[in-house]
Structures are given as structure tokens and as C-alpha cells.
Amino acid sequence: MGVLSLIIKREFISKVRNKSFIVMTFVSPIIFVAVAALIGYLSSMKTEVKHIGIHDETGMFVSEFKNSESYKYHDVSKIDPKLLKDSVSQANYEGVLFIPKKDNLEDYEKAIEYVSEDSPSLGFIASTESKLSEKLLRKNLSSQGVDTVLLDQSKIDVTMHLTKASGEETVKGLNEMKVAIGSVFGYLIMMFIIIYGNMVMRSVIEEKTSRIIEIIISSIKPIQLMMGKIIGTTLAGILQFVIWAIVGGILLVIANFVFGLNTSTPTTEMAVEASKLADFQLYFAEFLKLPLASMLIYFLIYFIGGYFLYSSLYAAIGAAVDNETDTQQFMFPVIMPLMLGVYIGFFTVMNEPHGTVATIFSMIPFTSPIVMLMRIPFGVPFYEIALSIALLFATFIAIVWVASKIYRVGILMYGKKPTWKELIKWLKY
């Protein structure tokens, strides 16, 4: 145990004293906030106005198109269509909508044409088709004797008021917010498994190629060296996460304080801003109701289990090869479950957080660190979490045994590219 602790201490100190580790630990939260602010600023910038021509031979559609911040519509019904197409080619118009005159309303279904140099966005297409369909519907109803004015007066817009069974007010998009939080945790685990797993692998390759491993291995067991590297790097990663959590918490408190200023007496000019602020405070209140403490604890548990599991594989790969180029054939099977966990978790948890697919993948050890963290904000029974964690650490022990077999043989193998068949043979030694 004393030898293992020395290896852990050496690996931990070498990682935390690294300049890049120190810089990224404290600079990353600032970069994250700066990027978020930049994205917010860019999203608030006004887009370039696009000029759209409407060539309406009927005269009944052009009035349906109103100018907006993004689009400005021009009635060009009196201009020759050939000249309009030339105008599109010369970029005078972003595009021109041609509406011919038809005797029957049904003929408009496939008669309207939009001409442009660049393909329009799906949003623009959907909006334009909706305006045209609505106008044709109203025209068709009028031809059948239906009073469309009375129909408009009869419309009632419904906005649902969301409350819980306990009577508490809730907000729209709460599930999306929960998935987003779980996705952040999942992406962090995947990112750091890849980053620190590669760090373990490179460390093994460097010691192996420098032949210093031959001296080290004479005094300690290979499994002790492998576990020392994994645990030492894990502790460094946990330290980084803790620092990020503290800095993130401080930034969160500051953000809440800043957004919470002067909310009691808003002026008339600030009515819209006050409404947005109320929505933000409601979402923030829902965020605080989430089991944040337990989510953080489970995050650390799954981070440790997932990292131990994958780092054992990274260490085994590093011991089996002589350089990083030879690792490519072994990396895809290792990274694929991580990617699978992220995408399956995202596309299934949002719709069915307790469905069969989400539940199964939250139990599979290679995907559970990601999928289960996405499910936890929705309220997962404790026995499912306990079973998932037990399976994760049991699989970790099994993988460590397999990886140690490969590590023991591969650490002293030089000048030969291993194959999957040879790795299987090493397990029998």
C-alpha cells in the first residue's frame, strides 16, 4: 500500500503542478462565461434585412406579407417576371415569390413558385406556406358562404397555466432544462474521460519508450503502477471539478444578485424587461428546487467509476503500443460507448426519462455515467441508482483485472504492433 500511495502522490503532484493544469483550472470558468456572453451578444444583434419581391397576379396575397426585422417585402406585381429573375441574379432581391392567377383555388396547391439564388431557410419556407395556406383557406370558406370575420371574432387563444399537484406554479420547458443540466454533466464526464484517459495513456507510453519502465517495474507490481497512475490522475481531475464547482457557484450567486437588482419597482418603460426578469427568476427558482446536492454527489461517484473504468482501458492500450500512432486501431471501440451514451441519453431521456431504452442504458456500465446523470434530475428511484453504481464498479473491477493482464505483458513489449488476437493471447498468460 505504501508503494501505491507513493505512485499516486507522484502522479497527482506532477499533474497539479503542471502549468497547463493550473491555467485551465482557473481560466476555463472565465472563458466559459466570456463565451456565453459573446453568444448572448451575437444573438441579440440584428440580422441583415432581406428584401423579398412579391409578384402577385391575383392581388389578394401581397397584403398578407408584413415587414419584419429580418424581411422586407416589395410589391413587384407590375414588373415583368423575366426582369425580376434577372434582379434576383443581380442580388437586388433575396428572392421573388411568383403567384399566378388561377380559376380554381385548388390549382394553387402546386402553382406558386419562389425564385432565389440561395436556398431559403426552413423557417422562411414554413412561414410563407402558412400565410398562403391561411389566405386560401379563408378565401375558400368565403366562397362557401362562411363569415370569416365572425370566425376571427370567435377565435380564443389559450395559454395553459402550469402547476404541480401540490399547487406550486411551474414553468414551460422544465424537462428541457433538466435534460440540459444532465447533458452538461454527461459531456463533462465524456470530455474528462477522454482528456485524462489520454493523459494516462501518454504517460505509460512515455515511460515505456524511455525504458524507465524497466527500472520501475523491477521494484513494484505492474498493477500497482497502473492503478497509481489512474488514481493519481483521477484525484487531479476531481480537484479540478471541485474548483470549477466553487468558482461556478460564486459566478451563479453573482448572476442571481445582478439579475435580482431593482425588481420591486419597475417603471413603465421597463415593463418588457421586468416580464423577462420574472420569467428568469421563475426558472431560477425551479433550478434551485432540483436535487443539486445529490446530483453533485452522484456526478462525482459516476465520474470516479466511469473514469476508473475507461482509464484502465487507456492504460492497457498505452502499455500495448510503442507510440500514439499505433493507438488509433484501439481507440474507436473505447470512445464509441461514450458517444453512444451521450446521443442515446439526449434523444431518449427528454421524451421518456423512465422509458425502457433510457433505463437499460443507465444500467449498462459503459454508458451509465452519462445516461443516468441525465435521468437523475427527473427523479430516479434509489434502488435503480444503487444498482447502476454497483454494476459500474463491479465492471470496473473486472476491466482492471483484464487490463492488468494486458498491462503486465505489454509494458515490456517493444518493436511490434499488437493486434486484437495478440491481446486476447496476453490474457491467458
Side-chain angles (χ1 to χ4, degrees):
M1 187 64 184
V3 176
L4 180 60
S5 63
L6 288 175
I7 300 172
I8 294 173
K9 183 178 180 181
R10 173 185 174 276
E11 290 293 326
F12 176 78
I13 293 176
S14 65
K15 296 295 184 297
V16 298
R17 285 184 177 179
N18 189 286
K19 291 182 180 179
S20 61
F21 180 91
I22 296 173
V23 170
M24 292 307 298
T25 297
F26 293 98
V27 173
S28 292
I30 300 175
I31 294 176
F32 178 79
V33 172
V35 170
L38 178 62
I39 293 174
Y41 172 74
L42 294 177
S43 62
S44 65
M45 293 178 61
K46 292 184 178 180
T47 58
E48 182 180 354
V49 177
K50 296 180 179 180
H51 295 269
I52 307 296
I54 308 292
H55 189 275
D56 183 9
E57 295 181 359
T58 66
M60 64 179 182
F61 291 97
V62 66
S63 59
E64 299 296 317
F65 295 88
K66 308 297 182 182
N67 294 335
S68 64
E69 294 182 356
S70 301
Y71 294 97
K72 187 173 182 180
Y73 297 95
H74 303 271
D75 186 0
V76 292
S77 302
K78 297 181 180 180
I79 302 177
D80 189 284
K82 294 182 179 180
L83 297 177
L84 289 175
K85 291 183 179 180
D86 292 337
S87 298
V88 173
S89 301
Q90 297 171 7
N92 293 329
Y93 293 102
E94 180 72 19
V96 176
L97 184 67
F98 290 94
I99 306 174
K101 189 173 183 180
K102 297 291 181 180
D103 295 331
N104 298 319
L105 295 178
E106 290 79 6
D107 295 337
Y108 283 101
E109 186 175 358
K110 295 182 179 179
I112 299 175
E113 181 184 15
Y114 180 77
V115 178
S116 65
E117 286 293 316
D118 298 323
S119 298
S121 66
L122 292 176
F124 172 79
I125 295 175
S127 175
T128 303
E129 290 178 341
S130 176
K131 290 183 177 69
L132 296 171
S133 298
E134 179 70 18
K135 183 64 177 180
L136 289 170
L137 174 63
R138 294 168 64 85
K139 196 72 175 176
N140 197 13
L141 291 174
S142 297
S143 65
Q144 297 179 22
V146 177
D147 189 350
T148 56
V149 175
L150 182 61
L151 186 64
D152 291 336
Q153 294 175 349
S154 303
K155 287 183 178 179
I156 300 175
D157 294 327
V158 176
T159 301
M160 290 192 300
H161 184 68
L162 304 180
T163 57
K164 298 179 181 178
S166 59
E168 293 181 75
E169 184 178 4
T170 184
V171 293
K172 299 177 181 178
L174 185 59
N175 284 2
E176 286 76 5
M177 182 177 70
K178 291 178 179 180
V179 169
I181 295 172
S183 298
V184 169
F185 283 151
Y187 273 111
L188 284 175
I189 286 182
M190 183 182 72
M191 181 179 65
F192 275 88
I193 283 176
I194 294 174
I195 292 174
Y196 286 97
N198 274 284
M199 193 178 296
V200 171
M201 184 178 68
R202 286 194 298 267
S203 177
V204 173
I205 294 175
E206 288 173 3
E207 291 180 353
K208 180 180 177 180
T209 54
S210 66
R211 298 300 179 93
I212 193 175
I213 196 70
E214 297 178 358
I215 300 174
I216 298 175
I217 212 70
S218 63
S219 57
I220 60 175
K221 295 179 180 180
I223 192 171
Q224 289 178 319
L225 180 60
M226 184 182 74
M227 291 305 301
K229 288 182 175 296
I230 293 173
I231 296 173
T233 308
T234 301
L235 294 176
I238 291 174
L239 175 63
Q240 194 167 53
F241 273 124
V242 170
I243 294 174
W244 282 8
I246 295 173
V247 175
I250 294 173
L251 293 176
L252 191 64
V253 171
I254 293 174
N256 182 42
F257 177 76
V258 171
F259 283 107
L261 288 176
N262 301 324
T263 61
S264 57
T265 56
T267 60
T268 305
E269 293 77 8
M270 298 175 61
V272 176
E273 288 77 5
S275 176
K276 292 181 179 179
L277 181 60
D279 291 339
F280 170 81
Q281 290 177 331
L282 193 58
Y283 277 99
F284 187 74
E286 288 292 338
F287 172 76
L288 293 179
K289 292 177 183 178
L290 295 175
L292 300 177
S294 61
M295 287 169 60
L296 183 59
I297 293 172
Y298 288 133
F299 169 71
L300 292 176
I301 293 174
Y302 278 102
F303 167 76
I304 294 172
Y307 178 77
F308 277 7
L309 178 64
Y310 281 95
S311 290
S312 301
L313 298 175
Y314 274 103
I317 293 172
V321 301
D322 292 337
N323 53 71
E324 289 192 45
T325 305
D326 296 337
T327 64
Q328 301 305 315
Q329 61 176 320
F330 302 110
M331 294 306 299
F332 180 73
V334 175
I335 297 176
M336 185 177 66
L338 289 172
M339 300 175 61
L340 188 66
V342 170
Y343 291 108
I344 286 183
F346 182 79
F347 288 111
T348 59
V349 172
M350 180 180 293
N351 297 321
E352 292 185 282
H354 305 297
T356 303
V357 175
T359 302
I360 290 175
F361 279 91
S362 65
M363 295 297 168
I364 298 175
F366 291 96
T367 57
S368 62
I370 296 174
V371 180
M372 181 59 82
L373 285 175
M374 292 185 181
R375 292 185 61 209
I376 286 177
F378 292 90
V380 180
F382 178 74
Y383 76 89
E384 289 190 15
I385 299 176
L387 178 60
S388 176
I389 293 174
L391 291 173
L392 175 62
F393 280 87
T395 304
F396 157 67
I397 294 172
I399 292 296
V400 165
W401 180 82
V402 173
S404 64
K405 291 278 189 178
I406 298 174
Y407 190 93
R408 183 182 62 178
V409 178
I411 200 69
L412 298 175
M413 297 285 290
Y414 299 97
K416 185 179 181 181
K417 292 184 179 181
T419 63
W420 286 102
K421 185 177 180 180
E422 288 181 340
L423 293 182
I424 294 174
K425 287 183 179 180
W426 293 357
L427 298 178
K428 301 176 182 179
Y429 295 157

